[in-house]
Amino acid sequence: MSVNRPNPVSVGTIVWLASELMFFAGLFAMYFTVRSVMDPAAWAAETAHLNVKFAAVNTTVLLLSSITCQAGVTAAEGFRPIRTGKLWQVTRWGMNEWITLTYLMGAFFIGGQIFEYASLVHEGVTISSSPYGSVFYLTTGFHGLHVIGGLIAFLMLLGRSFSAKRFGHHEATTGIVTSYYWHFVDVVWIALFCVIYLLQ
């Protein structure tokens, strides 16, 4: 009788993401602490500068990227690195096409966040303008850095796929663990969006 051991790469990635979860828990704790001690009127004046509709569109793009990322994982598990049909036949896309689309959607999100930062700075909300500005930029900024980390991981995944003579288990595993990270980043943003933009 054989024993199926868990993939050590997957286990290691999950453990690492658990530590990242603690990091973001600390950021949430900081956000709520500052909110509890800051004057409600001053807090409301700061949150009035947020463009909730724009952030909702940006959030939707990031969430949809999780679907495209998972489609890439499905292709990787089937050992299909490249498409087997025409470019417009998305049902026959391989991992590379799905991950490229995911990368573009993630880059769109980062571009949207930079645009939002520029707009807020123009309106006087900076990291040093108030306690609210500090917690807003720290929480969303650290998340943005994690998204950029995911984009770099996608580039490495694509590079490994293109350079591999034969797409096998190692390449597929790389795609799977990268998707773990990307889904984690998306889930964290859902929480951030609800707290910062919806609850205010």
Side-chain angles (χ1 to χ4, degrees):
M1 182 177 65
S2 62
V3 177
N4 293 324
R5 295 181 178 180
N7 188 305
V9 178
S10 297
V11 173
T13 302
I14 293 172
V15 171
W16 174 65
L17 290 178
S19 68
E20 288 291 291
L21 183 61
M22 294 300 100
F23 171 77
F24 278 104
L27 291 179
F28 277 106
M30 174 190 67
Y31 180 90
F32 283 113
T33 299
V34 171
R35 181 176 182 176
S36 67
V37 299
M38 191 171 170
D39 178 60
W43 184 274
E46 296 285 345
T47 58
H49 295 290
L50 296 177
N51 189 336
V52 179
K53 291 183 179 179
F54 178 82
V57 172
N58 217 26
T59 298
T60 301
V61 172
L62 186 65
L63 297 185
L64 290 176
S65 73
S66 259
I67 297 175
T68 60
C69 181
Q70 193 58 40
V73 169
T74 301
E77 291 174 334
F79 302 112
R80 289 185 291 109
I82 58 177
R83 58 187 170 87
T84 57
K86 301 296 183 180
L87 184 60
W88 59 83
Q89 295 175 307
V90 294
T91 56
R92 302 181 69 179
W93 276 11
M95 184 195 77
N96 294 349
E97 287 78 23
W98 285 115
I99 295 303
T100 299
L101 179 57
T102 305
Y103 176 90
L104 293 174
M105 295 171 80
F108 178 91
F109 175 83
I110 290 296
Q113 196 168 35
I114 292 173
F115 176 80
E116 182 181 27
Y117 282 2
S119 299
L120 289 173
V121 169
H122 180 72
E123 294 180 17
V125 182
T126 67
I127 194 170
S128 58
S129 63
S130 67
Y132 175 82
S134 297
V135 294
F136 172 82
Y137 285 106
L138 284 175
T139 52
T140 59
F142 273 115
H143 177 269
L145 289 176
H146 281 73
V147 174
I148 293 174
L151 296 180
I152 294 172
F154 285 140
L155 291 178
M156 295 176 64
L157 171 61
L158 291 172
R160 184 169 186 173
S161 175
F162 281 114
S163 63
K165 295 181 179 179
R166 178 179 176 274
F167 191 92
H169 288 284
H170 291 296
E171 290 73 25
T173 299
T174 303
I176 292 169
V177 297
T178 302
S179 75
Y180 291 167
Y181 177 82
W182 195 250
H183 294 323
F184 168 79
V185 167
D186 281 8
V187 169
V188 169
W189 181 253
I190 291 174
L192 282 172
F193 177 75
C194 291
V195 168
I196 294 175
Y197 293 91
L198 300 184
L199 295 180
Q200 295 190 3

